[in-house]
């Protein structure tokens, strides 16, 4: 499959996802423009990222820090989102390249980010990841821990904390998934008013290929989509 075939198929998938986003927003009386689509490029070789950018899509996500470093240095005009695990020793290389980090999941990491913020003029926007599915394999703070985390974050005025991120159960029923997303929204609403100026829990990063419509109905402001956008494009990926 040539590049132009990739672009054509990707363009069709993108339009279909945008239509579904619009419909999900309409069902709950939301404005479609309040939901940002993050294209997760983790399955894509770097040369094809250009095709995504020309679609045009501006917000791109990677789950591994090294892949983000690689692609963000090749495509610095994109707005890059780190959506997967960030190890402390990778903070210094990641925060200058990522505009958003969705996966702040420990107090240790928060400390490291604070230390980095003292060396860096503009810090990446941060989201606190909550383990809303209660699956032990998933990273993230528990809902019970959140107040303590926000207290710790209140002492880090250089960290722009902009919201919460969560991943719903992969095998859950629609009702369960909906409940998990609603839980994330309620946590943000509950702690929004009590927080210091650098903490503003307006952003809700939730929803992936198989559950983004439920997430939008439950208030997502950012959805992270990979496989549904690249369905049928994979033949274009050189091995
Ligand atoms: C891979 C990934 C996504 C995208 O998942 P798809 O099911 O391919 O849409 C979203 N969020 C995170 C954290 C991921 O790792």
């Amino acid at each position: 499959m040539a590049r132009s075939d990739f672009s054509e198929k990707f363009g069709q998938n993108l339009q279909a996802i945008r239509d579904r986003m619009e419909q999900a927003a309409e069902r709950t009386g939301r404005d479609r423009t309040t939901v940002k689509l993050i294209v997760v490029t983790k399955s894509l070789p770097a040369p094809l990222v250009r095709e995504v950018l020309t679609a045009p899509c501006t917000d791109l996500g990677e789950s591994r820090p090294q892949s983000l470093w690689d692609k963000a240095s090749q495509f610095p005009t994109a707005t890059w989102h780190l959506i997967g695990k960030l190890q402390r020793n990778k903070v210094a290389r990641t925060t200058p390249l990522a505009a958003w980090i969705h996966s702040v999941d420990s107090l240790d990491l928060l400390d490291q980010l604070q230390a980095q913020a003292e060396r860096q003029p503009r810090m990446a926007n941060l989201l606190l990841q909550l383990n809303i599915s209660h699956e032990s394999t998933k990273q993230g703070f528990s809902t019970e821990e959140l107040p303590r985390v926000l207290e710790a974050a209140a002492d880090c005025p250089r960290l722009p904390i902009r919201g919460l991120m969560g991943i719903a159960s992969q095998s859950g029923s629609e009702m369960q998934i909906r409940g998990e997303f609603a839980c994330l929204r309620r946590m943000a609403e509950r702690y929004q008013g009590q927080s210091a100026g650098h903490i503003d829990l307006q952003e809700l990063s939730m929803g992936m290929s198989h559950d983004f419509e439920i997430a939008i109905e439950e208030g997502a402001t950012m959805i992270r989509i990979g496989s549904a956008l690249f369905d049928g494009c994979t033949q274009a990926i050189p091995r």
Side-chain angles (χ1 to χ4, degrees):
M1 199 187 252
R3 259 189 203 176
S4 58
D5 296 328
F6 172 89
S7 293
E8 190 181 332
K9 184 67 189 146
F10 176 72
Q12 289 165 2
N13 290 347
L14 180 63
Q15 191 52 51
I17 295 285
R18 284 180 173 156
D19 289 346
R20 288 168 61 191
M21 289 173 70
E22 176 119 34
Q23 287 155 14
E26 259 172 28
R27 281 196 290 279
T28 42
R30 299 187 58 198
D31 180 348
R32 146 81 180 88
T33 60
T34 61
V35 187
K36 184 174 287 184
L37 171 63
I38 297 166
V39 177
V40 177
T41 53
K42 67 187 177 198
S43 65
L44 219 56
L48 288 173
V49 170
R50 188 183 310 284
E51 310 298 313
V52 174
L53 284 172
T54 55
C57 295
T58 51
D59 286 85
L60 308 185
E62 281 290 327
S63 53
R64 290 176 55 244
Q66 295 97 320
S67 308
L68 186 140
W69 302 342
D70 176 36
K71 289 175 181 166
S73 44
Q74 292 185 56
F75 302 101
T77 58
T79 300
W80 285 97
H81 298 249
L82 182 74
I83 61 175
K85 180 89 185 160
L86 178 58
Q87 297 81 8
R88 286 177 60 110
N89 62 354
K90 302 207 169 86
V91 163
R93 277 195 71 176
T94 303
T95 53
L97 294 168
W100 291 82
I101 293 170
H102 293 231
S103 41
V104 178
D105 64 346
S106 74
L107 291 174
D108 256 9
L109 178 58
L110 208 59
D111 271 351
Q112 190 67 32
L113 287 163
Q114 168 67 15
Q116 178 63 22
E118 276 156 21
R119 287 179 225 124
Q120 191 179 316
R122 252 187 53 238
M123 191 57 183
N125 292 304
L126 307 176
L127 304 178
L128 303 172
Q129 182 171 356
L130 289 194
N131 183 351
I132 50 175
S133 69
H134 306 292
E135 285 168 5
S136 56
T137 52
K138 292 269 166 62
Q139 52 196 84
F141 296 107
S142 68
T143 48
E144 293 77 24
E145 281 174 303
L146 184 62
R148 199 159 55 84
V149 176
L150 288 170
E151 264 173 45
D155 293 332
C156 305
R158 302 193 59 143
L159 297 185
I161 298 192
R162 295 281 168 256
L164 303 179
M165 183 271 228
I167 302 173
S169 307
Q170 300 302 288
S171 55
S173 65
E174 181 183 331
M175 202 173 79
Q176 183 178 355
I177 292 169
R178 192 177 291 284
E180 291 168 359
F181 288 149
C183 167
L184 196 71
R185 185 194 63 234
R186 278 197 307 272
M187 292 304 284
E189 286 168 354
R190 178 163 165 198
Y191 292 103
Q192 172 68 314
Q194 303 174 20
S195 304
H198 63 287
I199 305 177
D200 175 8
L201 303 182
Q202 289 216 8
E203 301 288 345
L204 290 175
S205 167
M206 56 188 199
M208 303 165 43
S209 288
H210 63 287
D211 57 16
F212 71 89
E213 286 149 306
I214 307 173
I216 291 172
E217 289 168 11
E218 295 302 327
T221 63
M222 297 179 171
I223 60 173
R224 312 175 307 269
I225 311 284
S227 49
L229 282 168
F230 298 115
D231 191 32
C233 302
T234 47
Q235 297 93 311
I237 298 177
R239 301 275 158 204

